[in-house]
Amino acid sequence: MSRQNILSGSPWEDKMGYCRAVRIGNIIEVAGTVAIVDGEKVKADDAFAQTNNIIERIEKVLQDAGAGLSDVIRTRIFTTDISLFEDIAKAHGAYFKDIKPTTGIYEISKLVAPEYLVEIEFTAVAQ
């Protein structure tokens, strides 16, 4: 089976040696993704907006890989504050309430920068 690497253009892809997503056959694995915190639409204290931003951006990545959100079979959600569960769940549910992938949400001590509250990994199987 051939391998397709999907790059996002982030400078970290070369620095760290990774890509946003990898497709082999019909399986697509998407790297942990944080929001683009711009201070306006997405703020450092808004877990709902961060989750929404992540899923919107990954939808494009999945399209680049020949799939869509309806092909997602698992999400893994990491947060630095589990008390934000309701906000994270509300944003996740807005996209996945009918798709219903398996998921887990885990509180961790830190993400790569203090403004990030949420990071999500995705697994998809293209139809």
Side-chain angles (χ1 to χ4, degrees):
M1 283 187 251
S2 66
R3 174 186 178 119
Q4 176 188 5
N5 288 348
I6 295 98
L7 300 170
S8 69
S10 166
W12 287 103
E13 291 172 335
D14 284 334
K15 288 179 186 177
M16 194 170 167
Y18 81 101
C19 60
R20 179 62 47 212
V22 174
R23 179 177 177 155
I24 297 177
N26 65 342
I27 298 171
I28 303 160
E29 288 286 347
V30 181
T33 303
V34 295
I36 296 175
V37 177
D38 62 10
E40 293 175 19
K41 183 178 177 188
V42 181
K43 295 183 176 148
D45 64 349
D46 190 341
F48 176 86
Q50 288 192 25
T51 304
N52 189 62
N53 178 268
I54 293 165
I55 297 170
E56 284 179 348
R57 291 177 39 239
I58 294 309
E59 184 173 27
K60 170 73 170 88
V61 170
L62 290 170
Q63 290 169 352
D64 290 347
L69 290 178
S70 64
D71 297 309
V72 172
I73 62 166
R74 182 175 176 95
T75 59
R76 290 168 204 84
I77 305 167
F78 303 92
T79 182
T80 56
D81 185 353
I82 201 69
S83 73
L84 301 172
F85 171 80
E86 291 291 333
D87 291 334
I88 296 166
K90 183 179 174 184
H92 187 274
Y95 292 91
F96 292 113
K97 68 180 173 96
D98 295 326
I99 300 166
K100 294 195 177 6
T102 63
T103 194
I105 184 165
Y106 312 96
E107 184 178 53
I108 59 173
S109 62
K110 293 180 184 177
L111 288 166
V112 72
E115 65 267 23
Y116 301 130
L117 301 173
V118 180
E119 181 171 313
I120 307 175
E121 299 174 348
F122 299 78
T123 301
V125 178
Q127 303 297 315

